[in-house]
């Protein structure tokens, strides 16, 4: 927190909320053999497949906002669990395409139902999943996520000793 701030900063609150939700999703999907990160991957893959895509690991990484190396690690674990299949892209032998297996589709549908129920509970203070406050909150978060990060500026003498 900064010196002039009477309470927590928005960044601190976003971090706390993200951690609270991650833990809640981890607990909710654990009985299905998933973690929040694995759920994010299979749920995104499910949506992309329904739209007719068979995305590469890179495309799925871009879609989820996860690092490509982490998506590769998660994909290997999900493949070992029989939930996804990884195949070489016939158009680009360096790329790996991902698809849910039948078992993966079944587990993902269950997980999506569990997480939707959890989201309703987590968003109840705003009126629930379909409430106007939730839509406004979602719009604000989307605005922040869509804003590009400015390139980092190396420390120079004019910025030393000041708060960000």
């Amino acid at each position: 927190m900064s010196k002039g701030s009477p309470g927590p900063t928005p960044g601190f609150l976003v971090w706390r909320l993200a951690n609270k939700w991650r833990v809640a999703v981890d607990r909710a999907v654990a009985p299905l053999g998933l973690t929040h990160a694995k759920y994010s991957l299979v749920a995104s893959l499910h949506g992309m497949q329904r739209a007719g895509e068979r995305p590469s690991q890179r495309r799925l990484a871009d879609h989820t906002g996860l690092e490509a190396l982490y998506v590769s690690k998660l994909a290997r674990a999900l493949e070992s669990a029989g939930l996804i299949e990884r195949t070489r892209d016939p158009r680009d032998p360096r790329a790996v395409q991902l698809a849910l297996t039948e078992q993966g589709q079944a587990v993902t549908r269950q997980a999506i139902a569990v997480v939707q129920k959890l989201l309703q509970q987590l968003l109840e203070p705003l009126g629930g999943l379909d409430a106007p406050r939730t839509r406004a909150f979602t719009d604000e978060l989307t605005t922040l996520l869509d804003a590009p990060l400015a390139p980092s500026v190396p420390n120079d003498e004019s910025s030393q000793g000041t708060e960000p």
Side-chain angles (χ1 to χ4, degrees):
M1 290 191 275
S2 66
K3 292 179 189 174
S5 176
T9 64
F12 179 74
L13 293 173
V14 167
W15 177 73
R16 291 269 323 267
L17 183 61
N19 281 316
K20 178 181 179 177
W21 284 29
R22 182 193 49 79
V23 168
V25 173
D26 274 341
R27 289 178 181 157
V29 299
L32 298 170
L34 298 173
T35 62
H36 186 263
K38 289 177 182 176
Y39 168 76
S40 296
L41 213 69
V42 296
S44 294
L45 186 53
H46 177 73
M48 295 170 94
Q49 278 187 216
R50 287 180 53 142
E53 277 190 72
R54 186 176 175 125
S56 66
Q57 286 184 175
R58 163 56 64 193
R59 169 85 176 94
L60 191 56
D62 292 345
H63 179 80
T64 60
L66 296 170
E67 292 292 327
L69 195 58
Y70 189 44
V71 168
S72 177
K73 178 183 171 187
L74 290 171
R76 288 179 200 280
L78 289 164
E79 182 182 41
S80 293
L83 301 181
I84 68 169
E85 58 186 17
R86 300 166 65 246
T87 57
R88 291 281 169 204
D89 184 335
R91 295 163 294 173
D92 181 357
R94 297 168 300 165
V96 174
Q97 290 181 317
L98 304 174
L100 290 169
T101 62
E102 283 188 39
Q103 178 188 355
Q105 290 175 21
V107 168
T108 301
R109 282 192 296 273
Q110 286 180 285
I112 289 170
V114 166
V115 171
Q116 285 297 306
K117 192 173 177 181
L118 176 63
L119 281 177
Q120 183 65 34
Q121 178 188 347
L122 292 171
L123 292 166
E124 196 56 45
L126 298 180
L129 199 52
D130 298 319
R133 285 182 66 197
T134 299
R135 283 192 295 281
F137 178 62
T138 301
D139 290 345
E140 297 290 354
L141 291 172
T142 301
T143 297
L144 293 173
L145 287 169
D146 287 346
L149 290 175
S152 59
V153 179
N155 280 344
D156 63 19
E157 291 180 23
S158 65
S159 66
Q160 290 182 359
T162 61
E163 295 272 332

